[in-house]
Amino acid sequence: MRRSRAFTFSGAHRLPEYRGKCERLHGHTWRLRVTVRAPVRAGGIAFDFAELDRVVGERVLSTLDHSDLNAVLPDPSAERIAQWVWRALDGLPLEEVRVWESDRCFVAYRGEGDDA
């Protein structure tokens, strides 16, 4: 079974290697969706949403929300943020991490090719 939970956080970043307006400091209200995969347990629940909220809050949102993302990780593109979130949630039965920087632009990461 796959269970997903959506989160939002505000953060500013600049992409120094990008040529265009995104190389300047700007902010987003980022959307994050964390999907875990687990079997349905006794009681009918695969993974407790409250536990997912707690872990994401402690390991991810407490660092990223209202922050200068360039101070957290180098070249904080949506791709690199998704990889960072994946690593921060080590130990969870992760299936996918999605990060939206706008309503129309997102990345999906499933743990593959972690070269950041």
Side-chain angles (χ1 to χ4, degrees):
M1 186 68 61
R2 291 169 184 84
R3 293 193 103 193
S4 298
R5 180 77 164 94
F7 305 89
T8 60
F9 63 94
S10 296
H13 71 152
R14 63 183 188 79
L15 301 173
E17 299 299 319
Y18 185 84
R19 296 298 162 239
K21 63 183 181 177
C22 292
E23 68 186 306
R24 295 188 306 264
L25 184 65
H26 63 286
H28 299 282
T29 298
W30 300 84
R31 282 182 34 217
L32 169 65
R33 187 176 79 186
V34 176
T35 302
V36 295
R37 184 175 185 171
V40 177
R41 300 176 302 190
I45 296 175
F47 196 92
D48 187 353
F49 282 132
E51 178 66 6
L52 191 55
D53 285 349
R54 183 189 66 75
V55 173
V56 172
E58 289 175 1
R59 297 187 195 175
V60 175
L61 301 179
S62 66
T63 300
L64 299 184
D65 192 30
H66 285 82
S67 70
D68 173 358
L69 299 173
N70 291 80
V72 177
L73 66 153
D75 300 318
S77 61
E79 294 87 345
R80 293 250 171 101
I81 293 168
Q83 291 173 321
W84 184 93
V85 169
W86 185 277
R87 287 190 301 274
L89 297 176
D90 184 47
L92 292 182
L94 292 172
E95 174 80 11
E96 182 179 79
V97 168
R98 284 192 182 207
V99 176
W100 283 261
E101 63 180 43
S102 73
D103 289 339
R104 299 181 304 143
C105 300
F106 72 91
V107 299
Y109 183 64
R110 296 186 179 130
E112 69 282 283
D114 190 10
D115 57 2

